[in-house]
Amino acid sequence: MRDGQGLHVTGRVRWRRFAALSVPGFAATVALAVALANGAIAASFAVSGQQFKVSADELQGEGFAQYGSVDTNARGDILPVAVTAIRKAKIDNLCQSVVTHLPIIGDISLKLSAGGGGKPVEARDLYMDATQMSGDAGFNNIEIGRDASTLDKGPDGAQGLQDLFAQQADDISMSKLRTVAWATTAGTFKLNGLSMKISKGKKECF
């Protein structure tokens, strides 16, 4: 590259282009820093490096709220999640699974099941920090597009950052639930008919 006098120029930075490219990334970093400073982290603990799967035949919940947030792992990585918060829930045929790959041994699956035989799992102040969720859902008195900082139908404290998108409803009914998540927490969690099994290979809920 040569300048206006025909001399070679090296290492020149086009500052306007650099600023245009760097500002969005910087703004995102600042926003995440503000979220962390304000305690807007979904899980109150460092999550593992593995997501897990959760399925259920039916979920019935009172006091539903959903909003965006972040989890962090032990390395300090920031993991975007959609938090589903339910004040009181009953879950039929719950399944939870995670697959871990170990050197030499290979894949090891941990699979937990509960809530069968007409005795559903019961939970209060349930939070699911998910990256994927599917199923057939119904709501009563749903509010879509509410400011996340003003949510008041879910568990106490189930709120996101101001100006962010959120939704809430008096209740939720969901069948054929399928979720991939970083974390699940609950104030109380009653696992009726709990069964846990570890086996070789990939044995997942779905």
Side-chain angles (χ1 to χ4, degrees):
M1 181 183 296
R2 296 177 183 271
D3 62 13
Q5 299 176 346
L7 300 176
H8 286 282
V9 178
T10 59
R12 175 175 290 179
V13 177
R14 296 188 179 183
W15 291 107
R16 290 183 180 177
R17 181 177 295 178
F18 173 79
L21 293 173
S22 63
V23 166
F26 177 74
T29 301
V30 170
L32 289 172
V34 170
L36 295 173
N38 286 296
I41 303 176
S44 59
F45 51 85
V47 301
S48 75
Q50 296 177 271
Q51 296 190 72
F52 56 90
K53 293 184 176 182
V54 176
S55 69
D57 288 351
E58 189 80 23
L59 182 151
Q60 299 286 340
E62 298 176 10
F64 163 84
Q66 191 172 62
Y67 53 94
S69 188
V70 294
D71 283 341
T72 58
N73 59 24
R75 294 187 178 88
D77 298 328
I78 294 173
L79 310 168
V81 295
V83 177
T84 297
I86 302 173
R87 187 160 28 86
K88 183 179 179 182
K90 291 187 177 182
I91 308 169
D92 291 317
N93 291 319
L94 173 70
C95 175
Q96 178 179 302
S97 66
V98 62
V99 178
T100 300
H101 185 80
L102 300 176
I104 302 175
I105 298 175
D107 290 332
I108 298 294
S109 298
L110 186 153
K111 193 171 182 180
L112 177 152
S113 61
K119 295 182 178 180
V121 169
E122 299 176 18
R124 289 184 179 272
D125 298 335
L126 176 67
Y127 292 79
M128 293 182 284
D129 303 350
T131 56
Q132 297 179 43
M133 179 177 287
S134 65
D136 299 326
F139 306 87
N140 280 318
N141 297 320
I142 190 167
E143 300 170 355
I144 300 173
R146 182 166 176 143
D147 188 300
S149 68
T150 68
L151 294 171
D152 57 10
K153 290 188 177 183
D156 291 341
Q159 296 178 333
L161 291 175
Q162 184 176 336
D163 296 329
L164 294 189
F165 174 92
Q167 55 187 359
Q168 65 175 7
D170 289 346
D171 56 61
I172 177 175
S173 175
M174 193 167 188
S175 60
K176 295 179 283 187
L177 172 66
R178 303 290 184 269
T179 300
V180 180
W182 284 112
T184 298
T185 60
T188 61
F189 210 32
K190 185 177 180 183
L191 297 167
N192 294 309
L194 172 63
S195 174
M196 186 182 74
K197 184 176 181 181
I198 296 177
S199 56
K200 292 191 66 175
K202 291 186 177 181
K203 307 278 181 72
E204 300 181 278
C205 295
F206 60 91

